[in-house]
Amino acid sequence: MRNYDLEFLKHFSMVIGFLALVTLGLIVGAYFLHSSVPPEVDPRAAKRTEARIAPTGAVYAGTTGAAAQAAAQAAALAAAASQVAYGGTTDGSVIYQNLCGACHTNGVGMAPMLTAAGLGARAAKGKDMLYKHAIEGFTGPDGGIMPPKGGNPALTDEQIHATVDWMLDNVK
């Protein structure tokens, strides 16, 4: 081997050694960096854990507890009423004006209007059939469409019955 070949091998070995040290340094740095960063927590897992450890009830004691219990009951009733359409009212005119009148006043979607010709023919089939079609929905042979519960699934069956009764009572 010649002298310049030995010189090349010496420099090449030094470069390879330097690169090996840089690589080793990066691996050690990545290891320490990875161990110092906390693992990510799945938000769904955190919610499940919080639901598991949440208190199942509350303790009410004395006059302060009675007031807190009454407030909790009032809040629960308000929350239940907000889940029912129109505050749970069974006034057929309120529900008709807010929901049903949009179609039944003008005959939109071939909806029968509050006339003897429009609603009267359907009333001859009986209230039970009208209740059923109002609750479950109906597609008529002439192309008329009645969505279930008038398109508002939050309505209760009692509200539907009250509204159908109100409509029948107000046929012109």
Side-chain angles (χ1 to χ4, degrees):
M1 268 195 181
R2 298 198 174 157
N3 202 15
Y4 59 85
D5 288 336
L6 290 175
E7 198 64 31
F8 171 77
L9 286 175
K10 181 180 169 184
H11 290 295
F12 185 73
S13 299
M14 288 173 50
V15 169
I16 295 296
F18 175 74
L19 290 176
L21 286 175
V22 169
T23 303
L24 187 62
L26 289 173
I27 291 172
V28 170
Y31 175 77
F32 283 116
L33 184 64
H34 178 69
S35 64
S36 69
V37 176
E40 289 186 36
V41 177
D42 183 15
R44 294 174 295 181
K47 284 182 184 178
R48 285 193 306 264
T49 301
E50 287 188 24
R52 245 187 351 261
I53 64 173
T56 58
V59 176
Y60 300 106
T63 56
T64 305
Q69 186 176 16
Q73 287 175 343
L77 289 174
S82 70
Q83 298 299 319
V84 178
Y86 310 111
T89 184
T90 55
D91 183 0
S93 66
V94 171
I95 297 170
Y96 179 83
Q97 294 300 324
N98 288 305
L99 180 67
C100 308
C103 297
H104 288 281
T105 300
N106 302 316
V108 174
M110 298 183 158
M113 295 193 294
L114 293 183
T115 61
L119 201 58
R122 287 173 173 82
K125 294 181 180 178
K127 280 187 177 183
D128 289 336
M129 184 63 69
L130 291 175
Y131 294 150
K132 180 180 181 216
H133 287 171
I135 293 170
E136 297 174 4
F138 179 71
T139 301
D142 57 352
I145 297 172
M146 170 67 185
K149 294 189 176 185
N152 187 344
L155 286 172
T156 63
D157 290 354
E158 292 79 25
Q159 288 176 308
I160 297 288
H161 288 241
T163 306
V164 169
D165 292 340
W166 182 88
M167 289 173 69
L168 291 173
D169 291 342
N170 288 285
V171 169
K172 299 172 189 169

